Amino acid sequence: MNKIILAIGWMAVVLSLSSCVRHRQLVNFRDPDAPEISDYSSATNIQPLRVQPDDILYITINSLNDEVSRPFNIGGDGNTRLPGGGGAGPGQVNPLLLQGYAVDSSGYIQFPNVGRIEVGGLTLEGVRENVARAIEPFLNNAAVNVKFLNFRYTILGEVISPGTYSTANERVSLLEAIGTAGDFTPYADRDRIVIIREENGRRVATTLNLQDTEFFTSPYYYLRQNDVIYVEPTQAKIATVADPVSRAISYGSAFLSFVTFVVTIIATTSGN
């Protein structure tokens, strides 16, 4: 009888291990070869964002004389129009975006009372310099402030709340993006996080492993505009959504094997 109980317990353990997610698959940043204490303070993978077509920039001009600087800001006089030709109804466009400058396909913005200014491919500091240079004949020693209005990314796959997110921050890490999406589901494959990025007119993709400590030094640790993040499912998740017939056959086969095993043990025990 003890042999039968032992056999049943052993088979239950085998079946449970074959269908469940293992503990180490649920842990992030746990490299068994890494020391217990790691230093990631010297981050060398922070790269400044560069302006791309279809970005929307928030640019303000300030000086000691508000009357002089007002014509160089959106809405500053009767001749200035908001991007897109005017306002929008509720639920159509975020009103904040209407206070920005849309970058056209050639990398230029249309600036009030100045004309076209090239910004494509520049960092925000480079945009500040170009704008300051363009308005210098009209306004000396002006303070130029530039920010992104539509920094957004998309996260899909095994996260609690997949979707497209926007932020006013200029530096967003992959971990922040995952946290914003509600963290991983139990079936997330933490060593296969795919990031799709647009670079120089091309789409490139890379796979990151959150269980590898080198993840922190990856150039993909910090996101860029319009990045797409895909969290792949584990094999356990794939098994749960497999074809119902195939799944039933698999479970039935395992059950029959288990019954056969138990009967064999009983027969052996009875013979003894």
Side-chain angles (χ1 to χ4, degrees), residues 46 77 93 103 121 203 241 262:
I46 303 175
D77 59 33
V93 178
V103 182
R203 288 186 180 90
V241 296
V262 172

Side-chain angles (χ1 to χ4, degrees), residues 19 25 57 66 70 91 114 119 166 180 185 208-209 216 218 240:
S19 60
Q25 292 179 290
L57 303 177
D66 290 340
R70 184 176 297 120
V114 174
V119 296
S166 298
T180 302
T185 70
L208 298 181
N209 181 359
F216 290 99
S218 168
T240 64

